[in-house]
């Protein structure tokens, strides 16, 4: 089964559709859930190993060396808290959301770029499903969770807020899969209208 638009609950505005390109589709919803910034969806069909896709994709985001290869603004990326027992997570969430294989809190700090340095603290996880699909997700922790920031990072930076981050991978063949990347990012200190064209 491939990712398609048939099950869409929300009304997406298509920005690009090129089935034969690496990025085959780009859609957005303006001001999703009244956060003042768009929700962006990017789709692609890829080829790669069939095992551990969710873990591999999460490592592209959460492993310093791999993240530096595609994110020049990254300064720090680390997991600051891991779930002590994933069985506790599974009991809490039930079977509907797959098998949790990672669950924790991550911290990211960027370097000076077009904008001043920013930081994020995100609750995130990886879920695997019997079909071979994987789901990587994250949501920004609120300011009342600031006590969780790394103890060695005492100077607070403006927050970049991932209101929603998700990556879904669905197998379409032995070594092929569709991936959907969804992000709603508030860069912090910049007006939402400025990010709309992004």
């Amino acid at each position: 089964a491939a990712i398609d638009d048939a099950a869409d609950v929300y009304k997406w505005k298509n920005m690009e559709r090129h089935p034969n390109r690496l990025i085959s589709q780009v859609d957005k919803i303006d001001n999703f859930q009244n956060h003042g910034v768009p929700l962006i969806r990017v789709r692609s069909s890829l080829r790669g190993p069939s095992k551990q896709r969710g873990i591999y994709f999460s490592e592209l985001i959460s492993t310093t060396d791999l993240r530096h290869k595609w994110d020049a603004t990254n300064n720090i990326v680390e997991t600051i808290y891991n779930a002590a027992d994933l069985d506790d997570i599974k009991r809490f969430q039930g079977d509907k959301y797959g098998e949790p294989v990672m669950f924790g809190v991550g911290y990211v700090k960027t370097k000076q770029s077009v904008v001043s340095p920013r930081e994020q603290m995100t609750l995130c996880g990886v879920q695997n499903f019997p079909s071979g699909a994987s789901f990587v997700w994250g949501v920004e922790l609120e300011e009342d969770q600031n006590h969780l920031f790394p103890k060695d990072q005492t100077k607070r930076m403006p927050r970049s807020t991932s209101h929603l981050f998700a990556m879904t991978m669905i197998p379409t063949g032995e070594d092929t899969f569709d991936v959907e990347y969804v992000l709603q990012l508030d860069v912090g200190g910049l007006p939402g209208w400025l990010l709309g064209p992004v």
Side-chain angles (χ1 to χ4, degrees):
I3 294 176
D4 63 30
D5 298 330
D8 278 351
V9 175
Y10 298 104
K11 185 171 175 60
W12 292 87
K13 178 181 177 184
N14 181 256
M15 306 302 291
E16 292 183 36
R17 189 179 305 262
H18 306 285
N20 296 322
R21 291 189 185 171
L22 177 62
I23 304 296
S24 58
Q25 186 174 332
V26 179
D27 305 301
K28 78 174 183 174
I29 299 174
D30 290 311
N31 195 24
F32 183 68
Q33 294 185 338
N34 295 316
H35 287 300
V37 291
L39 178 66
I40 306 294
R41 174 172 74 181
V42 178
R43 290 179 171 169
S44 188
S45 294
L46 302 174
R47 182 174 298 278
S50 60
K51 296 188 186 249
Q52 307 258 351
R53 283 189 187 123
I55 298 292
Y56 293 152
F57 266 82
S58 73
E59 287 176 349
L60 287 172
I61 300 163
S62 63
T63 303
T64 303
D65 293 342
L66 292 175
R67 179 119 176 205
H68 281 308
K69 290 181 179 182
W70 62 269
D71 183 359
T73 67
N74 182 58
N75 185 22
I76 298 171
V77 58
E78 61 184 356
T79 302
I80 52 178
Y81 301 101
N82 277 314
D85 187 350
L86 288 172
D87 286 336
D88 289 340
I89 305 302
K90 185 175 181 175
R91 279 190 293 278
F92 177 77
Q93 73 180 20
D95 294 329
K96 181 178 179 181
Y97 303 106
E99 178 83 21
V101 293
M102 291 179 78
F103 187 91
V105 175
Y107 175 74
V108 173
K109 186 176 186 179
T110 63
K111 300 175 189 172
Q112 176 72 41
S113 63
V114 176
V115 297
S116 62
R118 300 288 195 263
E119 64 183 352
Q120 288 184 273
M121 189 168 53
T122 310
L123 176 68
C124 41
V126 178
Q127 313 288 128
N128 286 341
F129 295 84
S131 66
S134 293
F135 181 59
V136 180
W137 59 271
V139 294
E140 191 75 21
L141 292 175
E142 300 295 333
E143 289 186 7
D144 64 354
Q145 302 298 313
N146 281 359
H147 63 279
L148 297 174
F149 273 113
K151 302 298 183 225
D152 62 341
Q153 298 297 318
T154 56
K155 183 179 178 191
R156 296 282 59 90
M157 302 289 171
R159 296 281 289 269
S160 284
T161 302
S162 293
H163 296 292
L164 177 63
F165 157 79
M167 210 169 4
T168 305
M169 290 140 284
I170 296 179
T172 56
E174 184 60 35
D175 64 346
T176 58
F177 60 101
D178 283 354
V179 62
E180 177 178 277
Y181 178 77
V182 176
L183 178 66
Q184 185 179 29
L185 180 66
D186 186 340
V187 176
L190 296 176
W193 61 265
L194 187 61
L195 301 173
V198 178

